[in-house]
Amino acid sequence: MVTLSLPPFDYKIKRLEENVLIFDIIRKKYVVLTPEEWVRQHLVHYLINVKGCSPALIAIERGIELYGLPRRFDVVVFDRSGTPWLLVECKAPSVVLSRQVFDQAFRYNITLSAPYVAVTNGVTHFCGKIDQRRGFVFQHDFPEFK
């Protein structure tokens, strides 16, 4: 897999027929190791080990409804009251973080209303806070969980 700009972590990998699987500590199961999953797993471990997020407050690939259509977000961190706090859209390292990627994240956030939104391909990351007066304000890093 590609080296990312997120810190390495101890991961468990196994083979099942022609698939390589990685253990997801949030979903508590092995999932197919795609380039996007490689980014997602690095991000989750970064949020837990560096940013102080509790694994119990992280959801991965859950369904939401957007304009009557089913969608799936990549990662949402909830605050201690169960309200979405950070929405992250993950892409494979080969995917350019274009306007379309940002638009996808912001569309999902119409339903979730998280105050922080981020996009990452594991190499480049953009994160910001939604400010009612100033719009989307870019941050230098992912927020610290308090």
Side-chain angles (χ1 to χ4, degrees):
M1 283 285 156
V2 175
T3 301
L4 305 177
S5 66
L6 294 163
F9 66 97
D10 290 328
Y11 51 87
K12 294 187 231 174
I13 288 182
K14 72 178 186 179
R15 284 198 176 276
L16 183 63
E17 297 171 7
E18 70 277 350
N19 291 318
V20 176
L21 308 173
I22 188 167
F23 188 76
D24 182 325
I25 63 169
I26 303 301
R27 293 177 276 187
K28 297 181 178 20
K29 66 179 184 178
Y30 281 89
V31 296
V32 175
L33 180 57
T34 63
E36 183 177 315
E37 192 62 46
W38 184 242
V39 171
R40 190 170 19 253
Q41 291 304 313
H42 274 78
L43 174 75
V44 165
H45 284 267
Y46 174 74
L47 292 173
I48 293 167
N49 298 326
V50 177
K51 295 299 178 178
C53 297
S54 167
L57 298 176
I58 298 175
I60 296 179
E61 288 197 311
R62 289 227 187 121
I64 58 172
E65 189 174 297
L66 180 64
Y67 302 124
L69 299 171
R71 298 286 181 248
R72 291 179 80 76
F73 62 72
D74 280 317
V75 178
V76 170
V77 178
F78 295 88
D79 65 19
R80 286 183 172 76
S81 68
T83 302
W85 176 72
L86 169 66
L87 165 67
V88 185
E89 180 62 29
C90 298
K91 297 296 182 188
S94 61
V95 175
V96 174
L97 298 180
S98 65
R99 168 86 185 217
Q100 289 79 13
V101 174
F102 279 88
D103 288 347
Q104 179 184 7
F106 288 122
R107 277 193 308 273
Y108 291 175
N109 205 43
I110 291 169
T111 299
L112 295 164
S113 300
Y116 291 96
V117 176
V119 296
T120 183
N121 63 9
V123 178
T124 305
H125 328 283
F126 294 101
C127 185
K129 183 169 178 43
I130 297 175
D131 182 287
Q132 297 303 324
R133 286 183 274 139
R134 299 184 297 160
F136 187 73
V137 180
F138 283 97
Q139 310 287 300
H140 294 290
D141 194 3
F142 290 90
E144 297 286 330
F145 190 81
K146 295 178 173 104

